[in-house]
């Protein structure tokens, strides 16, 4: 069983963290991952930076630009991660945009992921139809779980279609927005969380976008299996540094 | 149908809809409805009435006698520069504003580089009384002040794109982000045959009025519908798509696409996408794209802001790859000289984008009996300052 699938069976709410590889410093990647694991994080999304991250708000745009300016690129990320499975056992996913993967060569990229021990990919601009048309076979061949997104606007029929195509979890985007912290969740989000919970999907859901603190984490996970924090973690890294990662995690749960 | 989009929006290997799930409902609503709406007789009637009475169509097909003599061939100019607002862009914005109304949208967003598409969008929004927000790179706002003022006078809000390189591609990113954040009431009027399916096909259909008119005008003037060549400049590719559209499957008509070489194709400052690009994904479409080895999108350069885009529409990527289209790139200097030549020989000052198309005659010979149609996509008023600075007028 894939590490993501076993993690999802654990009887707890999962806390997952996104960070942009190559930021704040080019060679922080392994330190950040090890520190997150030591702090009790359940799963990590390693952000592969892209020049034009069109689903992202200002915080991740800036961290991506900074990472690219620092010299991050796909080959370097794989080099940095080459021995990661000697020290890290929690699920690791790569999250990014599809173009850098297309240039790397989709099959080569998948193969590298498998060799390193990456468990899944989250590629917002590779939607279901394009994935199934050209890439599904490759992802499966290398044991990678592809994670799809749903939003408050996603129709019930499409959610069912995505559920059927998913093998790990469904990434539940909290509101119609780009990434970045909002001031808490309102009634619209609560209704949405409940509506999805009521659908009894076969894949658990993990909520992302707009989760920044204990309160939004517990709201998001009241019915979902877990939540992902990105922008708020990146801001904390920028202001407090890599050493303060345990403090951030403690502030969430 | 070989060169048209299939039902998934693919032109050969190019096209598709590589969009985040947040945009799926928006593009899906459009995809499911655009053909039905466009084929509805009442839509067609309204569209064509506005093109005729508001835009000033049909635009003339003019035999350029002195230019023909100079190059010893037969040259016709399709006068899109005479459209209201000064370029072909308005054919698309008229179509899309009517589409937006039928979809019940009450807020319009658009991106713009030089400001031509922004002005054309602000114009139709004023015409329909609909809120209009135009994203424009901070750098372009500074270099295109007159068009910024025109948009404001037309009642549009111009929002600076402050991310990335702060030019057209970033303005497009910001417009897409706006659409993600406003998924229900907003329609995004894209300015060229780019973006996710169904945009390239929809915009090409709205622009196809250009080649439809060329056919009937040539028939009247020359007793034949088909020229030997159709020539157009290509930024995103919308004026070219319109000029080629009804000729795509008529293989005896040569299709020539002119791209901006900037300071030279291999100078590092160029926008010649077919020569420099590799297959990649930009703004939701798989197409030819200027990018680094690692797949980061690079910043193009051209003296003409309207050709300054790192990608090209998927239709054109397919025309290039299949060999159906002949692609030529023209430097800043060649384009500027060609623009001046057309002004002096024909009394028409072309937009600098269009001047690139006119430089074709220094690159390629045509036979004396050939019929060559140049799509004169826009007029040069907006570019006067650039011409003044270049020629020290
Ligand atoms: C006059 C004119 N021609 C051509 C273009 C290039 O766009 P496209 O390739 O979509 O026709 C522009 C864009 O601003 C323009 O203003």
């Amino acid at each position: 069983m894939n590490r993501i699938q076993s993690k999802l069976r654990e009887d707890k709410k999962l806390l997952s963290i996104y960070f942009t590889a190559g930021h704040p410093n080019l060679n922080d990647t392994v330190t950040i991952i090890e520190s997150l694991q030591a702090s009790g994080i359940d799963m990590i999304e390693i952000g592969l930076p892209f020049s034009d991250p069109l689903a992202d708000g200002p915080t991740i745009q800036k961290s991506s630009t900074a990472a690219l300016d620092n010299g991050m690129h796909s080959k370097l990320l794989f080099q940095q991660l080459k021995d990661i499975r000697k020290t890290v056992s929690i699920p690791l996913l790569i999250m990014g945009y599809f173009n850098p993967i297309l240039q790397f060569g989709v099959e080569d990229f998948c193969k590298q992921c498998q060799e390193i021990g990456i468990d899944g990919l989250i590629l917002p601009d590779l939607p279901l139809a394009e994935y199934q048309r050209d890439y599904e076979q490759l992802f499966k061949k290398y044991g990678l779980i592809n994670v799809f997104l749903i939003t408050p606007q996603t129709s019930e029929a499409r959610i069912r279609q995505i559920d059927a195509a998913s093998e790990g979890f469904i990434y539940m985007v909290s509101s119609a927005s780009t990434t970045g912290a909002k001031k808490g969740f309102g009634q619209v989000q609560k209704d949405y969380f409940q509506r999805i919970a009521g659908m009894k999907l076969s894949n658990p859901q993990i909520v992302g976008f707009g989760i920044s603190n204990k309160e939004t984490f517990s709201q998001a996970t009241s019915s979902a299996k877990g939540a992902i924090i990105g922008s708020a973690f990146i801001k904390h890294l920028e202001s407090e540094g890599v050493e303060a990662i345990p403090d951030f995690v403690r502030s969430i749960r | 149908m070989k060169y048209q989009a299939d039902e998934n929006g693919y032109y050969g290997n190019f096209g598709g809809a590589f969009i985040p799930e947040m945009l799926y409902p928006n593009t899906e609503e459009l995809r499911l409805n655009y053909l039905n709406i466009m084929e509805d007789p009442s839509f067609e009637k309204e569209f064509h009435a506005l093109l005729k009475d508001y835009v000033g169509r049909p635009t003339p097909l003019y035999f350029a006698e002195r230019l023909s003599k100079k190059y010893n061939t037969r040259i016709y100019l399709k006068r899109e520069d005479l459209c209201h607002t000064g370029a072909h862009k308005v054919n698309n914005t008229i179509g899309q504003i009517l589409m937006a109304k039928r979809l019940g949208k009450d807020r319009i967003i658009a991106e713009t580089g030089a400001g031509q598409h922004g002005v054309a969008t602000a114009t139709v929004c004023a015409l329909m009384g609909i809120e209009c927000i135009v994203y424009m790179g901070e750098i372009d706002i500074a270099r295109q002040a007159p068009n910024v003022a025109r948009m404001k006078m037309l009642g549009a809000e111009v929002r600076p794109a402050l991310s990335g390189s702060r030019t057209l591609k970033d303005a497009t990113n910001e417009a897409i982000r706006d659409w993600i954040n406003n998924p229900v009431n907003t329609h995004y009027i894209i300015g060229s045959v780019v973006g996710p399916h169904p945009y390239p096909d929809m915009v090409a259909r709205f622009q196809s009025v250009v080649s439809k008119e060329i056919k009937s005008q040539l028939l009247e003037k020359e007793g034949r519908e088909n020229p030997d060549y159709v020539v157009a400049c290509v930024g995103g590719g919308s004026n070219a798509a319109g000029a080629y559209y009804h000729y795509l499957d008529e293989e005896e008509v040569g299709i020539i696409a002119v791209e901006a070489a900037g300071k030279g194709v291999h100078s590092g400052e160029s926008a010649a996408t077919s020569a420099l690009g590799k297959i990649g994904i930009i703004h939701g479409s798989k197409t030819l794209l200027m990018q680094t080895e690692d797949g980061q999108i690079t910043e193009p350069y051209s003296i003409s802001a309207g050709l300054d885009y790192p990608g090209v529409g998927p239709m054109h990527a397919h025309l290039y790859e299949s060999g159906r289209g002949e692609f030529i790139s023209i430097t800043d200097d060649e384009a500027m000289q060609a623009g001046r030549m057309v002004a002096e020989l024909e009394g028409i000052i072309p937009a600098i984008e269009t001047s690139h198309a006119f430089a074709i005659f220094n690159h390629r010979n045509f036979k004396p009996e050939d019929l060559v149609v140049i799509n004169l996509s826009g007029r040069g008023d907006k570019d006067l300052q650039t011409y003044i600075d270049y020629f020290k007028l």
Side-chain angles (χ1 to χ4, degrees), chain B residues 96-112:
Chain B
Q96 285 205 49
I97 198 79
L98 295 178
M99 179 71 62
K101 271 179 58 177
R102 305 232 165 181
L103 293 171
K105 309 293 174 180
D106 59 11
R107 180 174 178 272
I108 295 295
I109 54 172
E111 84 296 339
T112 197

Side-chain angles (χ1 to χ4, degrees), chain A residues 49-54 56 61 68 73-74 98-100 103 124-125 127 130 133 135 149 158 176-178 209, chain B residues 10 16-22 24-25 163 169 173 177 180-181 183 278-281 286 291 293-297:
Chain A
F50 182 49
S51 55
D52 294 74
L54 46 79
D56 285 299
Q61 287 174 38
L68 293 172
H73 56 86
S74 313
F98 191 49
N99 197 50
Q103 294 320 305
D125 61 346
E130 305 296 348
R133 182 182 192 269
Y135 305 107
L149 278 54
R158 184 157 171 90
S177 72
T178 44
F209 289 37
Chain B
Y10 273 86
F18 291 82
I19 42 155
E21 192 63 31
M22 291 79 102
Y24 180 82
S163 58
K169 93 174 161 66
N173 290 339
R177 289 182 185 121
I180 289 175
N181 285 285
K278 280 188 304 178
I279 192 163
I281 288 160
K286 191 188 263 186
Q291 53 187 313
E293 216 177 290
D294 188 44
Q296 310 299 337
I297 300 175

